[in-house]
Amino acid sequence: AVAMARALMADHDIIKKAYRGEPIENCRPCLRCFEGCERMCFIGAPSRCAVNPALCQETKYGTIYPAHKKKKVMVVGGGAAGMMATQTLVQRGHDVTLYEQSGELGGHLKDVCHLPFKDDLKQYWKWDVKTTMECGAKIVLNTKVTPELVEDEKPDALFIAVGSKLITPPIPGINNDNVYDVISVDSGKKTLKGDKIVICGAGSSGLECALALAMDGKDVTVVDQIPEDKFGGQMVYVTLWMLKAELKKHGVKLIGNSRVEKFTDKGVEVINNNFQHSVIEADSIITAFGLESNKADVEALREL
């Protein structure tokens, strides 16, 4: 007997593709993220899937119907949302051009999949890029979409998927040479100084960055103004439980109830709930305060 569960949830056609002899790269990979299927496992709700929006909604999304009228569509942004929109629009019969301002598709997806325990995400990124490049749309890289470009192209429809940017609060010293953002570190674009690292922000990105650095032998501390038991609070329980176990195994120190006040050459100045000031020494500091929408870019285009 051969049994598959999540692989079939991620790609309903995996058996048909195997029967036809298609390469495994043509199959949409499961992320093993538990973001959707945990609903069935832990609360008894209908399953969902982070990579397959049709799962358990086949009557609504199972069939992609041709559009009543073919349109010229510009998709702005080649991240996860832009790539999926491009694939779907082509399947509906539209004339689609995808614009990406960098030289590669993937957005933040390609940045975080370089962590040593993100092999499943890396496979999905590769599948998504390959599927988008081969879907029949025109792909234009290294091109930032401006209002002038939209006016020149005169599309019938504009799909804006410009993604998000890092939140950079006005903390004194945040532009110091020893302060790095979490995406630059995860992607390998920046090299840290020294072995004593402090990460400010205990969401999923901060904690996963901490684990990767600790696995590389760094002395890592994560600090946040929320209580320690709330660290990684938006993550799925099973994933968070395993992540915290690995953080403990690799000696990552967690400090809660401490607000970042200032970045200096010596480290991070914080104040706790008892209004006590202290300095967490660091050779390098990583900011992981989350992401926010690129609202200015959206508003500049949506008014056209």
Side-chain angles (χ1 to χ4, degrees), residues 97-115:
T97 302
L98 168 62
Y99 291 85
E100 165 58 35
Q101 67 176 350
S102 72
E104 190 174 16
L105 298 179
H108 292 320
L109 192 63
K110 72 175 184 292
D111 295 324
V112 299
C113 71
H114 292 291
L115 293 173

Side-chain angles (χ1 to χ4, degrees), residues 165-237:
K165 61 181 179 180
L166 290 161
I167 295 174
T168 308
I171 299 173
I174 198 167
N175 294 317
N176 290 355
D177 291 341
N178 63 335
V179 180
Y180 307 82
D181 68 79
V182 67
I183 292 179
S184 295
V185 175
D186 287 349
S187 63
K189 295 175 182 177
K190 294 292 182 66
T191 302
L192 300 177
K193 304 173 184 176
D195 292 327
K196 189 178 290 291
I197 314 297
V198 173
I199 298 176
C200 303
S204 58
S205 62
L207 295 179
E208 289 183 342
C209 180
L211 177 57
L213 292 172
M215 292 170 64
D216 194 37
K218 305 295 186 183
D219 178 3
V220 185
T221 299
V222 181
V223 61
D224 202 307
Q225 63 183 358
I226 62 176
E228 182 184 328
D229 61 357
K230 301 296 184 183
F231 282 17
Q234 300 300 315
M235 299 178 67
V236 175
Y237 169 75

Side-chain angles (χ1 to χ4, degrees), residues 214-272:
M215 292 170 64
D216 194 37
K218 305 295 186 183
D219 178 3
V220 185
T221 299
V222 181
V223 61
D224 202 307
Q225 63 183 358
I226 62 176
E228 182 184 328
D229 61 357
K230 301 296 184 183
F231 282 17
Q234 300 300 315
M235 299 178 67
V236 175
Y237 169 75
V238 175
T239 308
L240 179 59
W241 177 80
M242 291 188 289
L243 176 57
K244 286 188 173 181
E246 287 296 309
L247 291 170
K248 183 178 180 180
K249 174 183 174 181
H250 288 87
V252 175
K253 295 177 282 294
L254 306 178
I255 301 177
N257 296 316
S258 297
R259 187 176 72 246
V260 175
E261 293 285 288
K262 186 179 181 181
F263 300 122
T264 70
D265 293 338
K266 294 182 178 179
V268 182
E269 295 185 10
V270 299
I271 180 172
N272 64 19

Side-chain angles (χ1 to χ4, degrees), residues 47 160 241:
S47 288
I160 305 173
W241 177 80

Side-chain angles (χ1 to χ4, degrees), residues 5-78:
R6 284 179 289 180
L8 285 168
M9 298 167 75
D11 190 333
H12 292 161
D13 294 326
I14 189 171
I15 300 299
K16 295 178 181 178
K17 292 175 181 177
Y19 181 78
R20 293 194 295 262
E22 296 186 31
I24 188 64
E25 291 78 14
N26 287 4
C27 299
R28 182 193 288 119
C30 168
L31 301 182
R32 293 192 286 184
C33 64
F34 281 104
E35 288 290 342
C37 49
E38 59 86 22
R39 292 161 49 90
M40 176 179 64
C41 299
F42 299 106
I43 63 175
S47 288
R48 294 290 183 265
C49 181
V51 298
N52 181 9
L55 181 67
C56 292
Q57 299 187 90
E58 287 82 1
T59 56
K60 188 175 182 180
Y61 300 119
T63 301
I64 298 177
Y65 296 100
H68 295 296
K69 179 181 179 182
K70 182 177 181 178
K71 294 183 179 181
K72 178 181 179 181
V73 184
M74 286 181 68
V75 177
V76 186

